[in-house]
Amino acid sequence: MKEVKNIVRSRAQESSSAVEKLYITMRHLFNRGFYKPMGVSGETLREALLQLRPEIYGTIAGEKVELNGLLYVMERLPIGIEECRFINLTSDEGYSKSHFQAIIPPKRRRNCYRIDDEQMNVEITRGRSDIYDILTHLTFIFIESHKIKDRVLLDDSGELSRDWQKLTQAVQVNKKLSLVDKEIAISHAANILGRTFAEVLDIYDAFATTDKPDRFLHIIYWLGKLAIEEILGNNKRTITFSPILRERLGHHIHGEIWATNIKQVLEANDLLKRPIHIISANMHSVMNSLFATHVLKAKFKDKHAFDIYQELSKTGAHTVRDKVEEFAKLHGMISLPDASGTNIDVQIFDTAKIDWKKSAFPKAKITDAAPVIIVMDYAFGEQAYETIDELLKPYKTETEKTLLNVVSVSIMGKAGILEGGKGDIMIPSAHINEGTGDNYPFENQLTAEMFAGNDIPVYAGPMVTVLGTSLQNRDLLTFFNKSTWGVIGLEMEGAYYQKAIQSASKIRKSINFDVKVRYAYYASDNPLETGSTLASGGLGTTGVKPTYLITIKILEQIFNIEN
């Protein structure tokens, strides 16, 4: 019989193996304490990433420098990291009390500190997923830096191309370039990158900051410069993990501080023994869904609620947002900005203090004790387990142990979709852990039918919890989607949340056995569609309607409102 080869499946298996290799290698390097990304110690990591060829990193395996992937990564790493030969990953070790100014990447909340010209310290307080995220991003930019080196280093003696010399001159000007000088520099940079003048021009300003309008050129220069020095002077870039970080990781130190603070505030406000509903969401959708339409009804007369939410989501809408927040604080909301290092802010809503006639839910039916809603900002990967696991534990004092009366846990977030497009809604029936195949089926209180009639496509089915959105490629995701797994989307926290909820309710008995769970996600990207990955840009206002629609459906269930 003629053998039938399934090429797509084979590539998916290779990709799955590459993900596993990346995961194991990063754990090994962390335990070792240091490594040189472009040396022998980093070779396995580089090879696995090149074998995987994640969609987010575009043409990482090609000769041309990947521009969209570079922008995506640089928005998630601290400004100036491209200049540093030594990158030190640390725990929270007191740098916030020093003269060092925290550098916070625009798209990833983590404190970073430039120690000197050659060293950048990056604080890891969000668990292993944060380490995987950083190491894959750094591996990507180092691979790209050697592409630059290959195109400008003409021979072993150190002779450099004319394009590189001209780029160096442009960077050393140290002031904003005139239009003519900028376009001359872009012309040379395009040759170095293997890209067209138009391609570089299109993305140039996306890298700019107020202080550095020509930052793109500086990034390319420093990436190339350090790669050249690695070859000519054997000055290898080095990544180290501080002893304190290696000692603390996995011990839930930040999560325990975070959860204890919440419980202390509940106790201080006599809320500890009331019915509790936990919602993982952003810091505006629950508050705005409750109060915005009432507070802003005069300003936005005759506007639909979703139009008001859209106005609130616009850049610069600080005045109206502050007005809603001020009203919320007068009607039962307690704001808890994070002080634990988790970077997860919290809001607590005492619904006993809500005047329902002055809310968007006048039909709320509160039958027993008025519920308390704890809204926690998004966790990051494995951090979801650490935080929810600690929050669901009993509150212990010297004299007493109090079990929390957790009635429901609702998770709302962004996710990649495999069947639809940006802004669509996904309702999971199970979470599958990509790295291990562990799976968590559950009875979701939210259903696809609840969202019908809102002009938003809705998909229901299993979802895969991935080690990192930056580690996904088309073949692996196609396999998850088209095989009997039937996966509709991918995200980073679901399996970790459900693992903690199941252990607390079914095994440790620290919360109600029949705790209700709700999961719903809106699509931030479709990694199977060219031009629709996360690297292609954000959602803009596309995410506003699904965000609030999901939030409202969660709140209607908590308030026993029947539609």
Side-chain angles (χ1 to χ4, degrees):
M1 183 181 288
K2 186 178 179 181
E3 184 181 354
V4 179
K5 292 185 178 179
N6 188 333
I7 297 171
V8 174
R9 176 67 184 272
S10 173
R11 176 69 186 129
Q13 288 173 321
E14 287 177 12
S15 302
S16 181
S17 174
V19 170
E20 186 178 8
K21 193 180 291 184
L22 280 162
Y23 176 68
I24 293 169
T25 302
M26 287 190 279
R27 293 285 290 261
H28 164 71
L29 294 173
F30 174 75
N31 291 331
R32 183 184 182 209
F34 76 97
Y35 78 104
K36 296 179 179 179
M38 300 310 291
V40 176
S41 53
E43 188 174 0
T44 306
L45 210 55
R46 297 197 309 273
E47 287 178 351
L49 199 61
L50 288 168
Q51 182 186 25
L52 184 61
R53 298 195 296 276
E55 298 300 312
I56 209 84
Y57 294 150
T59 57
I60 184 174
E63 292 182 5
K64 297 178 179 180
V65 173
E66 167 59 33
L67 298 182
N68 285 320
L70 184 62
L71 175 61
Y72 177 85
V73 167
M74 296 312 292
E75 287 178 332
R76 286 155 179 79
L77 293 173
I79 289 175
I81 197 165
E82 70 278 359
E83 301 174 10
C84 297
R85 219 159 51 83
F86 300 97
I87 296 165
N88 186 26
L89 274 55
T90 73
S91 180
D92 180 358
E93 298 176 20
Y95 286 100
S96 60
K97 299 179 176 68
S98 69
H99 76 281
F100 296 111
Q101 292 295 310
I103 306 169
I104 302 173
K107 297 287 182 73
R108 191 72 85 223
R109 290 177 302 174
R110 51 171 73 106
N111 292 331
C112 309
Y113 300 92
R114 184 74 177 265
I115 304 303
D116 53 37
D117 290 344
E118 291 189 306
Q119 181 177 333
M120 180 75 74
N121 280 16
V122 182
E123 272 188 7
I124 303 293
T125 57
R126 306 174 78 182
R128 289 191 182 92
S129 294
D130 220 5
I131 293 176
Y132 306 149
D133 188 60
I134 290 169
L135 293 190
T136 50
H137 288 342
L138 289 174
T139 303
F140 165 75
I141 65 169
F142 293 161
I143 289 171
E144 296 300 301
S145 75
H146 273 248
K147 289 184 191 177
I148 297 170
K149 178 266 299 176
D150 290 341
R151 298 182 75 94
V152 302
L153 187 59
L154 302 180
D155 55 38
D156 294 340
S157 68
E159 183 181 354
L160 298 165
S161 71
R162 180 175 180 272
D163 286 316
W164 181 257
Q165 293 168 16
K166 292 295 183 181
L167 176 64
T168 302
Q169 289 173 13
V171 168
Q172 290 175 346
V173 167
N174 279 330
K175 64 179 181 180
K176 184 178 180 180
L177 297 176
S178 66
L179 179 60
V180 173
D181 289 338
K182 170 184 165 182
E183 292 188 346
I184 291 171
I186 288 175
S187 177
H188 292 297
N191 286 339
I192 291 169
L193 302 173
R195 294 289 176 180
T196 66
F197 178 87
E199 285 176 320
V200 177
L201 187 63
D202 284 346
I203 204 165
Y204 190 90
D205 289 336
F207 285 85
T209 64
T210 306
D211 297 335
K212 288 187 175 181
D214 302 301
R215 180 171 170 244
F216 177 82
L217 298 177
H218 287 258
I219 289 172
I220 300 305
Y221 168 76
W222 278 101
L223 288 178
K225 182 177 186 290
L226 293 187
I228 291 166
E229 289 175 357
E230 282 189 320
I231 298 302
L232 296 181
N234 201 30
N235 295 322
K236 300 289 186 189
R237 284 168 283 195
T238 305
I239 294 175
T240 54
F241 306 91
S242 79
I244 303 299
L245 174 65
R246 293 161 67 201
E247 177 185 305
R248 289 178 176 176
L249 195 72
H251 291 179
H252 290 200
I253 291 170
H254 300 287
E256 184 178 4
I257 296 168
W258 175 83
T260 300
N261 183 41
I262 294 169
K263 292 166 190 173
Q264 287 173 342
V265 172
L266 291 173
E267 183 185 42
N269 289 273
D270 200 23
L271 304 174
L272 197 60
K273 297 182 180 179
R274 297 253 292 273
I276 291 172
H277 298 266
I278 299 167
I279 303 176
S280 173
N282 51 55
M283 286 291 98
H284 54 77
S285 60
V286 172
M287 178 180 71
N288 288 343
S289 295
L290 282 168
F291 302 116
T293 50
H294 171 76
V295 175
L296 303 175
K297 62 185 176 183
K299 183 175 178 62
F300 299 108
K301 193 176 180 182
D302 301 325
K303 284 236 180 187
H304 191 277
F306 288 115
D307 295 325
I308 296 175
Y309 303 143
Q310 197 134 338
E311 292 293 330
L312 284 163
S313 302
K314 288 181 178 177
T315 305
H318 305 295
T319 306
V320 283
R321 283 201 290 264
D322 290 346
K323 194 172 181 180
V324 177
E325 185 174 356
E326 186 180 330
F327 184 87
K329 286 180 177 177
L330 294 172
H331 291 80
M333 187 182 88
I334 302 168
S335 182
L336 295 177
D338 180 62
S340 68
T342 60
N343 282 311
I344 298 177
D345 296 335
V346 171
Q347 293 165 336
I348 298 172
F349 293 86
D350 178 1
T351 61
K353 294 183 179 179
I354 294 177
D355 182 344
W356 294 106
K357 293 177 182 176
K358 294 181 180 179
S359 78
F361 299 91
K363 295 180 181 178
K365 297 174 186 173
I366 309 302
T367 51
D368 300 315
V372 173
I373 300 173
I374 299 173
V375 180
M376 58 179 282
D377 209 345
Y378 299 123
F380 187 72
E382 287 189 30
Q383 187 191 34
Y385 178 78
E386 174 179 339
T387 49
I388 286 288
D389 184 59
E390 292 296 332
L391 185 56
L392 298 182
K393 286 179 180 178
Y395 177 54
K396 295 179 182 179
T397 62
E398 292 181 2
T399 57
E400 186 178 15
K401 181 176 83 170
T402 305
L403 296 174
L404 271 62
N405 181 16
V406 178
V407 179
S408 74
V409 182
S410 303
I411 311 298
M412 180 196 80
K414 290 187 292 187
I417 195 166
L418 301 180
E419 296 182 10
K422 289 185 178 184
D424 293 354
I425 290 174
M426 290 161 280
I427 307 297
S429 56
H431 284 115
I432 303 152
N433 194 315
E434 176 192 47
T436 62
D438 295 346
N439 48 83
Y440 302 89
F442 48 83
E443 185 180 343
N444 196 340
Q445 298 299 306
L446 299 175
T447 65
E449 290 72 28
M450 292 177 184
F451 295 89
N454 288 285
D455 297 323
I456 297 177
V458 185
Y459 299 86
M463 292 183 69
V464 62
T465 298
V466 298
L467 292 174
T469 52
S470 58
L471 292 180
Q472 305 316 305
N473 72 8
R474 188 183 303 270
D475 301 290
L476 188 56
L477 295 177
T478 299
F479 166 70
F480 271 121
N481 180 231
K482 300 299 182 185
S483 70
T484 51
W485 283 112
V487 164
I488 60 168
L490 62 148
E491 47 73 53
M492 283 185 63
E493 293 82 26
Y496 300 116
Y497 279 127
Q498 190 59 25
K499 180 167 71 169
I501 294 165
Q502 285 184 192
S503 63
S505 60
K506 305 295 191 287
I507 301 171
R508 303 164 86 171
K509 308 292 194 297
S510 56
I511 62 170
N512 296 321
F513 183 85
D514 58 351
V515 62
K516 292 180 171 62
V517 294
R518 305 180 189 92
Y519 290 92
Y521 301 89
Y522 60 95
S524 57
D525 66 301
N526 185 332
L528 294 182
E529 288 184 6
T530 302
S532 295
T533 67
L534 282 171
S536 67
L539 271 169
T541 56
T542 308
V544 173
K545 186 174 180 179
T547 297
Y548 281 92
L549 189 57
I550 293 168
T551 306
I552 289 165
K553 293 299 178 185
I554 290 170
L555 292 175
E556 284 177 348
Q557 288 198 356
I558 292 173
F559 301 148
N560 302 303
I561 298 172
E562 296 179 6
N563 287 320

